[in-house]
Amino acid sequence: MSAVLAPRVEILPIGHGDIDQMLEVEQGVYPFPWTRGNFVDSIAAGYSSWGCRVAGQLVGYYVLMLALDEAHLLNLSVAERRQGMGFGARLLRHAMSGARRGGATTLLLEVRPSNGKALTLYRHFGFQQIGVRRAYYEAEMGREDALVLRHALTEDSA
């Protein structure tokens, strides 16, 4: 009898040395991805940046900004071929836990109304829409609104 070992999944801090891999994921999932400058600036600002690796390969990441008792999820991305496998949920749980440990009681984010996969994930975790930012995102034909979602962080919220 042989045992099949599942690849090791780790969520680890990411930094400047990971930007090329982050850009590869980002450019594969968004028509208007973050730029290298967006990632450089976020890491330089000290935002909480974590990556999910499977057998050493980056499959997703998030960038979280903490300010007093509020956290803002700036980016959460999972490589297209790895979506639907639970990595987004794993990263979101990690972000929520980290935000709570950092003193946040609320987690905010913006999401495109057209991003059905992300909306499904956030709604599964109990995020509620609290607003709309008109013409927030670049789009193929002009601009697209952003839905502003909020989640109260409690010990049992993840």
Side-chain angles (χ1 to χ4, degrees), residues 26-132:
E26 185 83 3
Q27 292 166 355
V29 294
Y30 297 119
F32 299 95
W34 270 26
T35 65
R36 178 177 297 279
N38 293 131
F39 287 112
V40 168
D41 291 348
S42 293
I43 292 168
Y47 297 159
S48 184
S49 304
W50 294 79
C52 181
R53 294 185 180 278
V54 176
Q57 179 187 15
L58 186 71
V59 299
Y61 52 85
Y62 71 84
V63 178
L64 181 76
M65 179 180 70
L66 290 165
L68 302 174
D69 64 345
E70 191 172 273
H72 193 136
L73 186 62
L74 301 175
N75 191 328
L76 187 151
S77 299
V78 174
E80 182 72 34
R81 67 183 186 87
R82 297 295 194 146
Q83 291 181 4
M85 299 178 173
F87 296 114
R90 191 180 290 226
L91 284 163
L92 184 55
R93 273 190 211 95
H94 192 274
M96 292 166 68
S97 177
R100 274 195 315 272
R101 282 192 312 276
T105 59
T106 300
L107 179 58
L108 298 171
L109 61 88
E110 290 89 16
V111 62
R112 290 176 185 265
S114 62
N115 191 342
K117 290 178 182 177
L119 281 169
T120 297
L121 174 68
Y122 299 137
R123 288 184 177 137
H124 174 77
F125 277 82
F127 281 80
Q128 300 292 316
Q129 182 177 335
I130 60 167
V132 175

Side-chain angles (χ1 to χ4, degrees), residues 112-115 133-139 141-146:
R112 290 176 185 265
S114 62
N115 191 342
R133 296 191 198 283
R134 300 282 177 217
Y136 186 78
Y137 291 112
E138 280 186 74
M141 301 292 286
R143 310 282 301 173
E144 182 176 3
D145 293 345

